[in-house]
Amino acid sequence: MKPSKLTITDLELCQTEDQSWTVLHKDLDAHYRSTHGAKAESDWVFIKGTRLSEQDTWTIGELGFGLGTNLSTALALHGSRKQQTPLHYIGIDHQPIPPSIVEQTLSPSQYRDWLLDLLQQIDRGQTIAVVEPTEHIRLELHATNLASATLPTNWAVAFFHDPFGPKSNPEAWTPEAFTTIRNCMTQEGILATYGAAGHARRAMANAGFWLASTKGFGRKREMTIASSSQECISHGTLIKKYPPFMELKP
Ligand SMILES: C[S@@+](CC[C@H](N)C(=O)[O-])C[C@H]1O[C@@H](n2cnc3c(N)ncnc32)[C@H](O)[C@@H]1O
């Protein structure tokens, strides 16, 4: 079922331990990013987890655009580099936030303007919003469920798997969801997720990923990185008990 359109009153602003902002989704009782540091979590789990800075071309997919914290962290890193690395981002969200929230959570910058533009296009009724602010950068926001999204194949070198947890978003943690994501990724592409539960890891393995565990953010002991290539996740500890295409017990 398509979730209802979010309004400001469905969300509660929250400043996190590193001074960056996130929001609480009141109905789901879930924060979009960790209250221990929204930006720091984004940097640790998604940017470092996918080894984004080592890539020559930044083709990034994301399940759960949310407040755009992961995207703005990637854009700031991209902007701080000397090389003009091509960056193409596709974010998917079935319940995009109202654009005005971004004005309250991000300080004024060109990145904030780009995120606002994406969310305003969706707010005006478009299903796919596109912003191409420079010849090297293309940003897309698809206002749809992952299961209905049309994604390029063999494309993403980094995939940020960032829905809410399995209790709120069970459909985002299934073998089918991870198969859709794996099809969108290159052989060397790396998925990063804060999720480390056994059933989530089994679903990723069933979809054909190699898995590795790394230190989680804040109070979380572990997180998961996944790839079709075992070598590409050598920055974590390989999880041998969940090999690619493992069968799931009924
Ligand atoms: C934890 S928040 C994402 C935070 C975001 N990545 C950020 O950096 O601000 C989870 C987001 O995933 C979206 N979402 C959850 N399940 C989804 C699904 N099956 N398809 C598309 N979007 C989904 C929610 O609407 C929500 O905006």
Side-chain angles (χ1 to χ4, degrees):
M1 203 175 65
K2 196 171 186 285
S4 55
K5 187 167 175 175
L6 274 182
T7 65
I8 291 281
T9 55
D10 297 317
L11 303 166
E12 189 178 297
L13 278 170
C14 162
Q15 192 163 28
T16 71
E17 283 174 21
D18 66 2
Q19 310 308 313
S20 60
W21 289 83
T22 191
V23 292
L24 173 75
H25 188 300
K26 290 187 203 164
D27 260 4
L28 300 177
D29 192 26
H31 285 98
Y32 280 59
R33 287 259 62 82
S34 170
T35 53
H36 297 299
K39 195 179 162 306
E41 183 190 34
S42 187
D43 189 46
W44 175 252
V45 177
F46 299 101
I47 309 295
K48 299 225 168 38
T50 57
R51 298 168 88 160
L52 188 60
S53 60
E54 297 170 35
Q55 306 292 344
D56 295 331
T57 300
W58 291 16
T59 41
I60 308 169
E62 174 161 52
L63 172 57
F65 177 85
L67 276 179
T69 310
N70 294 337
L71 174 58
S72 51
T73 306
L75 285 170
L77 174 64
H78 186 262
S80 69
R81 287 155 58 97
K82 282 205 187 93
Q83 308 114 285
Q84 300 272 305
T85 313
L87 184 158
H88 182 179
Y89 167 93
I90 301 180
I92 306 158
D93 208 302
H94 63 180
Q95 196 179 38
I97 55 160
S100 56
I101 289 279
V102 166
E103 287 172 304
Q104 296 175 57
T105 52
L106 286 180
S107 40
S109 70
Q110 57 178 355
Y111 310 129
R112 186 178 85 169
D113 294 343
W114 302 344
L115 265 60
L116 257 179
D117 192 350
L118 286 173
L119 287 163
Q120 281 164 346
Q121 290 179 37
I122 298 295
D123 203 44
R124 288 195 294 269
Q126 274 172 234
T127 313
I128 298 182
V130 181
V131 172
E132 280 183 292
T134 74
E135 62 174 304
H136 299 287
I137 300 179
R138 177 179 169 91
L139 311 176
E140 295 179 35
L141 172 57
H142 297 211
T144 182
N145 194 288
L146 174 68
S148 321
T150 305
L151 297 171
T153 50
N154 192 21
W155 170 80
V157 299
F159 202 100
F160 305 158
H161 179 262
D162 194 19
F164 290 119
K167 272 198 193 132
S168 316
N169 271 160
E171 79 284 1
W173 299 88
T174 60
E176 293 74 22
F178 287 114
T179 299
T180 303
I181 292 171
R182 186 167 167 270
N183 288 339
C184 169
M185 294 171 59
T186 63
Q187 279 296 301
E188 291 74 32
I190 301 173
L191 170 150
T193 179
Y194 63 87
H199 68 87
R201 286 179 166 174
R202 285 192 290 276
M204 288 180 228
N206 180 264
F209 283 118
W210 287 99
L211 308 183
S213 170
T214 61
K215 194 189 158 307
F217 178 77
R219 294 209 190 108
K220 289 204 163 87
R221 211 159 48 89
E222 292 180 32
M223 57 172 262
T224 308
I225 50 178
S227 176
S228 298
S229 152
Q230 193 177 329
E231 295 76 52
C232 291
I233 49 170
S234 57
H235 52 307
T237 307
L238 192 69
I239 306 173
K240 292 188 185 136
K241 67 174 173 176
Y242 299 146
F245 300 111
M246 73 176 282
E247 284 191 21
L248 298 181
K249 291 198 185 109

